[in-house]
Every structure is written in C-alpha cells, then in structure tokens.
C-alpha cells in the first residue's frame, strides 16, 4: 500500500478510479477527482484514514462497494445528483462522518452503507429510495433523528440495530415489511409508530429496546402477525391503537402479556404527520376520564322529607356499579381486564351489603 502518499492529482483522461486504487494509503489527506471520472470502484479509498474531505464531481454515477470504508477522518461528504446508487459498505466505519447529503437521484442504498458511522447525528433519505437494506445504519450510535421517505416499502434486517441515540421514529404509510432485528438494541428508543400498510414484522424487530414505552399500531383489526413482534420486548409497554378498537385489542387472545395497557387514541391521520402536531390532541384524550355509576337499594324511603340523619327512614345500598371511560368511550382498562361476561353486563363490579 502507498502509505506515504499525501496528495495526488488525477488527470482528465481518467474515466474510472479502479477497485482498491488507493486502498490503504493511510497518509493521503486530499485528492481532486476530475469531471472525466464516471465511476469510483470498489474499495477505491478503503482505509485512507487521513482523508478528511473529498469532492465527488457531477460526472460520477456510481460509488462502489467499500469505496470509502474505514476513512476514519472523513467528516462530511456531498453526493452529487448524478449518482444513482451507493453500494455495499461504501461509507462503513467512517467514524468521523457527521453529515452527508443524499440527493433525490439515489434509488438504492446497499447493505451496510453507513454501518458504524458513530458520529452521524441525522440523515434525510430522499423519496426516491424504496428500500433500506440490511445493516445500512447499524451501530450509528450518535444517530438521533432520521426522516424516512414516503415511498419506502421495506426496512431490512438489522437496518437500525444498535442506534443507541435514536429516541423515536415514524414509519411512513408505504412500508410493508420490517425485517428481523431492524430496530434491535436501540436502547434510547421511547416510541415507534407502525402504519397499517405493514404486513410483516419479523422476529426480534424491537429486541433490546430497553427504553421503549409506547408502541403505536395503526391496525384497525388486531392480528397475531403484528402483535407477536412485541414479544421480544422484555418489559411492559403501552400499546396505542385506533379510536374505537380498544375493546377488540384488550380482549384479543394474542395480546402479549407485556402490554400493560391499551390506549385507543390514534385518530384517522396519516402517520407521516409530525408527532409534535398531534401531541396536544393525544394528551387531551389520555387525560379525560369519565366515571359512571349506578346504584340499587333495599327499597324506597318512608318519607322523602325526613332528615339524612334518620337512618331508619332511608333504604340501604345493596349494589354499586361503576365504569371509567376515556373521551372516546373506551373503558380504561389495565391488565388484568374484566371478563367478556362482566363487560357485556355493564362492565361492573358489585358490592353487596
């Protein structure tokens, strides 16, 4: 390897930087790529640990697998609109990479493209991307926010595994598949919202998410396929479901034991909408509680004009029935809930005497 190479100027006659062309050039600090170059090959700058910045010209259409892998000093990079794909592990282990601009021209971000980019704090993925491949952002421990594109259909296995700074994420309505361990070990993840477009949630999707408290399911009908994904969460959670579906979820045979409460507070909104915009609505729904009660007595009073202190005049209370409901008419139920028979007979508890 060219360990003593500090800088180089590539002539205009070059159209491709070949595979591993500058791999292991640990002293290379800067390089100028001419507009004649259309392709950066696999591993072209792999392990160039002193490379702090690089400008990719608009002529480049593809960035090869592992092209900048292990460039631990690379702090930022701008990908031009001419690039359509980022290949396998292109920027893996770029531990100083704090920001990157991905243009709308990108249609594919391959497996492990940004794995272990521990300084990457946020990223916006353009709508042109339809799949996030496996391990794309795995172990990006500083990634606190990410905006997923509206056209996204699949989040592959381990895609965000170990993103320990990620606190919340809203999955767009276009997503159909969430892969195995996709969000596993995201220890700071507090809430996640799953749209009703999702047809498959693989095992361990949320395993090791030790701070996860609120899971939002937009499914109007409870199903084992989605609910079983919660089994990998090793602590109690609150499950939020669409308004009017609370009873169905609470009495569904497949409801995992770690669901501490079911809250029916999701309105018919697009879940790509910012959570901040709906926070006050949800808080109001959670705070409003209504107590209804009904009594039965041993008979009528001897006289309606007698004072309350005349206990022999007034009948005895023999039954008190009550129910607490939220603003949407759903019983506030914390496991264990009342039985179906009790619910159907006014969901009441009785005290005789």
């Amino acid at each position: 390897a060219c360990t003593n190479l500090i800088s180089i100027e590539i002539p205009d006659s070059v159209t491709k930087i070949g595979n591993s062309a500058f791999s292991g050039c640990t002293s290379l600090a800067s390089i100028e790529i001419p507009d004649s170059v259309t392709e950066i090959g696999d591993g072209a700058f792999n392990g160039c640990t002193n490379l702090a910045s690089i400008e990719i010209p608009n002529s480049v259409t593809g960035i090869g697998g592992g092209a900048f892998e292990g460039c631990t000093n690379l702090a930022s990079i701008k990908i031009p609109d001419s690039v359509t794909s980022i290949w396998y592990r292109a920027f893996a282990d770029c531990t100083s990479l704090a920001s990157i601009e991905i243009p709308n021209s990108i249609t594919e971000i391959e497996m492990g493209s940004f794995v272990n980019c521990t300084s990457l704090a946020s990223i916006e993925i353009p709508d042109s991307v339809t799949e996030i491949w496996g391990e794309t952002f795995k172990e990006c421990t500083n990634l606190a926010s990410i905006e997923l594109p509206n056209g996204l259909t699949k989040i592959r296995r381990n895609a965000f595994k170990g993103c320990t700074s990620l606190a919340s994420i809203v999955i767009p309505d276009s997503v159909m598949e969430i892969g195995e361990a996709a969000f596993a070990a995201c220890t700071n993840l507090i809430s996640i919202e799953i749209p009703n477009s999702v047809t498959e949630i693989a095992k361990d999707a949320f395993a090791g998410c030790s701070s996860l408290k609120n899971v939002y399911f937009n499914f109007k009908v409870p199903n084992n396929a989605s609910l079983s994904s919660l089994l990998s969460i090793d602590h109690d959670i609150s499950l939020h479901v669409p308004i009017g579906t609370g009873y169905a979820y609470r009495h569904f045979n497949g409801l995992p034991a770690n669901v501490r409460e079911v809250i029916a507070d999701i309105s018919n909104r697009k879940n790509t909408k910012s959570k901040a915009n709906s926070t006050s609505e949800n808080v109001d729904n959670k705070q409003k509680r209504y107590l209804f009660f009904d009594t039965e007595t041993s008979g009528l009073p001897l006289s309606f004009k007698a004072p309350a202190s005349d206990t022999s005049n007034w009948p005895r209370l023999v039954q008190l029935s009550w129910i607490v409901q939220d603003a949407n008419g759903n019983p506030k139920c914390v496991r264990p809930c009342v039985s179906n028979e009790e619910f159907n007979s006014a969901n009441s508890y009785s005290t005789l005497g």
Side-chain angles (χ1 to χ4, degrees):
C2 44
T3 55
N4 294 321
L5 183 65
I6 297 175
S7 64
I8 190 170
E9 184 174 337
I10 300 173
D12 291 341
S13 57
V14 174
T15 58
K16 177 182 177 180
I17 299 176
N19 296 345
S20 305
F22 300 98
S23 177
C25 295
T26 54
S27 298
L28 186 63
S30 64
I31 189 167
E32 187 173 333
I33 302 175
D35 290 340
S36 58
V37 172
T38 59
E39 185 180 345
I40 299 174
D42 295 346
F45 299 96
N46 187 304
C48 293
T49 55
N50 203 41
L51 188 63
S53 64
I54 191 167
E55 185 173 338
I56 301 174
N58 289 326
S59 55
V60 173
T61 58
I63 299 174
F68 298 94
E69 182 175 355
C71 292
T72 55
N73 205 36
L74 189 64
S76 65
I77 194 164
K78 182 178 180 181
I79 299 173
D81 292 339
S82 55
V83 175
T84 58
S85 58
I86 301 173
W87 292 106
Y88 175 76
R89 295 182 66 88
F91 298 95
D93 299 322
C94 291
T95 53
S96 296
L97 188 64
S99 65
I100 187 165
E101 290 185 40
I102 301 177
N104 287 323
S105 58
I106 296 291
T107 58
E108 288 186 284
I109 301 176
E110 285 283 349
M111 183 174 180
S113 293
F114 299 97
V115 65
N116 201 37
C117 289
T118 54
S119 296
L120 191 64
S122 65
I123 192 166
E124 184 174 338
I125 302 174
D127 288 342
S128 52
V129 174
T130 58
E131 292 187 31
I132 297 178
W133 285 82
E135 301 183 1
T136 300
F137 298 99
K138 182 183 177 182
E139 306 294 345
C140 290
T141 54
N142 201 42
L143 187 64
S145 66
I146 187 164
E147 185 171 337
L148 300 179
N150 288 326
L152 190 67
T153 60
K154 296 179 181 178
I155 301 173
R156 298 286 191 176
R157 66 190 301 269
N158 298 324
F160 295 94
K161 184 177 182 179
C163 292
T164 53
S165 295
L166 193 64
S168 66
I169 191 165
V170 175
I171 298 173
D173 289 334
S174 53
V175 172
M176 296 182 290
E177 180 183 321
I178 298 174
E180 180 180 342
F183 298 95
C186 291
T187 54
N188 201 42
L189 188 65
I190 298 173
S191 67
I192 190 165
E193 182 165 0
I194 312 294
N196 60 11
S197 58
V198 173
T199 57
E200 180 181 348
I201 305 176
K203 68 176 183 177
D204 296 331
F206 311 108
C209 294
S210 54
S211 298
L212 189 60
K213 299 180 191 294
N214 295 283
V215 177
Y216 293 80
F217 269 11
N218 280 267
F219 309 109
K220 292 184 178 179
V221 178
N223 61 85
N224 281 313
S226 58
L227 287 168
S228 62
S229 67
L230 304 178
L231 291 171
S232 61
I233 303 171
D234 61 1
H235 58 275
D236 289 348
I237 59 169
S238 296
L239 180 63
H240 299 256
V241 297
I243 291 172
T245 65
Y247 177 78
Y249 271 90
R250 293 185 192 103
H251 295 274
F252 185 67
N253 287 334
L255 187 68
N258 62 338
V259 176
R260 180 177 60 87
E261 61 179 349
V262 173
I263 304 172
D265 64 347
I266 300 179
S267 59
N268 293 324
R269 59 183 174 81
K270 289 287 185 181
N271 61 311
T272 50
K273 177 182 175 181
S274 170
K275 285 294 258 208
N277 293 340
S278 60
T279 298
S280 60
E281 174 189 338
N282 288 341
V283 168
D284 285 345
N285 279 340
K286 293 175 192 175
Q287 289 178 344
K288 289 180 180 178
R289 295 289 182 263
Y290 299 89
L291 172 64
F292 299 90
F293 62 90
D294 179 46
T295 63
E296 289 188 20
T297 67
S298 58
L300 295 174
L302 299 176
S303 172
F304 286 97
K305 296 181 180 180
S309 58
D310 185 1
T311 57
S312 62
N313 178 77
W314 298 97
R316 300 284 180 160
L317 177 66
V318 296
Q319 180 172 285
L320 174 63
S321 303
W322 56 269
I323 185 172
V324 179
Q325 293 183 329
D326 63 18
N328 303 308
N330 297 301
K332 176 63 178 172
C333 180
V334 179
R335 277 181 166 262
C337 299
V338 295
S339 68
N340 287 337
E341 291 76 19
E342 289 174 316
F343 185 89
N344 292 332
S345 61
N347 209 355
S348 64
Y349 298 90
S350 299
T351 303
L352 297 176

